[in-house]
Amino acid sequence: MALATFWFILTAVLWTGFFVLEGFDLGVGMLHTVVARDEAGRRAAINTIGPLWDGNEVWLIVAAAAMFAAFPAWYATLFSGLYPALVVLLAGLIVRGVSFEFRGKDDGVRWRRTWDALLTCGSLLVPLIVGIALGDLLRGMPIDRNQEFTGGVGDLFSAYSVFTGITLVLLCLLHGATFIALKTTGAVEHRAALLARRIAPVAALAVLAFLPWTHSVAGKNVLPNIVQLIAFLAVLAAAWLVAGRHEGWSFVATTVAIATTILSIFADLYPRLMVSSTDPAFDLTARNSASGAYALKVMSVVAIVFFPLVLAYQGWTYHVFRLRISAEQFRPSARAPE
């Protein structure tokens, strides 16, 4: 049971890491046409995440792989039940990734606007769909005694799960706006900071509504746990720091806010992995859904050895690409006099 708990915690950390790192990528994707008025500005916004987005996206794959390896029943039930939503999610990921590569292949205005629109839509779909899926874990899905999903597409959508998706979209928007303000200069930085100030109160209100609702859906008492308390304070701090134009600390605050918001779902979920809306006796738990002890031991050794190495490499990557980006770098240079 101890190893199952360890892998539940690690899975929660991986999903949190995905939203912390990919969250600002998604925010940049949704906002790149809003913070810029010309092609040079849009390229500057996109290039803030150019060397980072594909590495950040790997966290999604690793989080799903951890679920598959450590809790195969969880993976099978969740992914079979969410199959239609996963198709939409994969479509969003594909068009988003292709947009980064294809938008610069032609100078035509229509061409680039098309790929910009696809990048925006793909970046919006990812946090919305994943947020709905995370909300479904806690709100409950129709699962029978054989741990099989017995519902339909309509069972994936409830007020709470949809609000979870909307809350994560707002947090990604705020996270992305603060990142653009931190990584750019000039007019793009100014518009990103202004946009962050407008998004911050809305995102804060969404999180402040989401936290007690999560506690209520989980059947807990009204008192928040420590993770939710930190999320509450972090989102308020983010709104205050954004208003004061403290770009670095604003990004730190949005990082903590988005991380603790995700962790609050898993904190209220444990020891369950998925809640059955059919009968609480059919809930998937860390105990009845885990792999064998030997498999968990081997995976734990691999994770303990390689996870710090991955973190060190990714930290080094962020250090290498830490400098600000200016839209002037992407403007055509003036033609030299003959």
Side-chain angles (χ1 to χ4, degrees), residues 9-325:
I9 294 171
L10 183 57
T11 302
V13 169
L14 291 171
W15 280 109
T16 302
F18 167 71
F19 269 101
V20 165
L21 297 175
E22 186 71 358
F24 64 77
D25 286 355
L26 297 168
V28 172
M30 286 186 275
L31 296 173
H32 75 285
T33 58
V34 181
V35 298
R37 300 291 171 82
D38 57 11
E39 176 60 20
R42 286 188 285 273
R43 289 184 63 187
I46 291 173
N47 274 270
T48 61
I49 59 172
L52 309 171
W53 71 269
D54 47 355
N56 294 340
E57 209 165 84
V58 171
W59 284 73
L60 176 64
I61 301 170
V62 177
M67 293 171 65
F68 172 76
F71 304 102
W74 185 17
Y75 178 92
T77 305
L78 177 65
F79 280 67
S80 61
L82 292 172
Y83 193 79
L86 289 176
V87 172
V88 178
L89 173 63
L90 288 174
L93 289 169
I94 291 169
V95 299
R96 183 172 177 271
V98 171
S99 296
F100 287 119
E101 304 297 331
F102 273 53
R103 72 177 304 279
K105 299 300 183 182
D106 193 295
D107 292 331
V109 174
R110 192 174 192 181
W111 173 271
R112 293 195 170 180
R113 283 181 178 174
T114 299
W115 290 111
D116 284 340
L118 290 172
L119 174 56
T120 301
C121 292
S123 299
L124 172 65
L125 282 174
V126 174
L128 181 63
I129 298 297
V130 177
I132 290 173
L134 292 177
D136 282 334
L137 294 179
L138 191 60
R139 189 267 306 183
M141 298 169 63
I143 301 169
D144 65 13
R145 66 174 67 252
N146 298 316
Q147 299 183 336
E148 293 183 359
F149 177 77
T150 58
V153 175
D155 294 303
L156 306 181
F157 301 95
S158 67
Y160 172 74
S161 60
V162 171
F163 188 74
T164 302
I166 293 172
T167 300
L168 292 180
V169 168
L170 289 170
L171 282 171
C172 288
L173 285 169
L174 180 59
H175 204 32
T178 57
F179 184 75
I180 296 173
L182 181 66
K183 287 285 293 178
T184 58
T185 62
V188 175
E189 177 195 1
H190 176 74
R191 292 192 193 99
L194 179 62
L195 201 57
R197 289 199 295 274
R198 292 176 177 173
I199 297 170
V202 182
L205 288 174
V207 172
L208 296 183
F210 169 77
L211 294 175
W213 197 353
T214 297
H215 228 37
S216 174
V217 168
K220 304 294 179 67
N221 57 43
V222 294
L223 295 177
N225 57 40
I226 185 62
V227 176
Q228 291 177 323
L229 183 61
I230 295 172
F232 174 80
L233 296 174
V235 73
L236 291 181
W240 179 73
L241 290 166
V242 163
R245 292 293 302 274
H246 303 287
E247 285 128 354
W249 286 110
S250 297
F251 185 70
V252 171
T254 59
T255 298
V256 175
I258 200 168
T260 48
T261 298
I262 297 297
L263 287 174
S264 69
I265 298 174
F266 287 96
D268 275 346
L269 185 64
Y270 185 80
R272 301 165 297 179
L273 303 179
M274 286 184 72
V275 174
S276 172
S277 59
T278 305
D279 189 327
F282 303 155
D283 289 353
L284 276 71
T285 67
R287 181 183 293 274
N288 67 21
S289 303
S291 294
Y294 179 74
L296 292 177
K297 286 179 183 177
V298 173
M299 291 189 302
S300 298
V301 172
V302 173
I304 291 170
V305 172
F306 286 100
F307 192 54
L309 296 177
V310 173
L311 290 178
Y313 171 76
Q314 197 152 24
W316 175 78
T317 303
Y318 277 78
H319 174 74
V320 170
F321 297 103
R322 67 190 182 277
L323 298 180
R324 289 179 181 263
I325 296 174

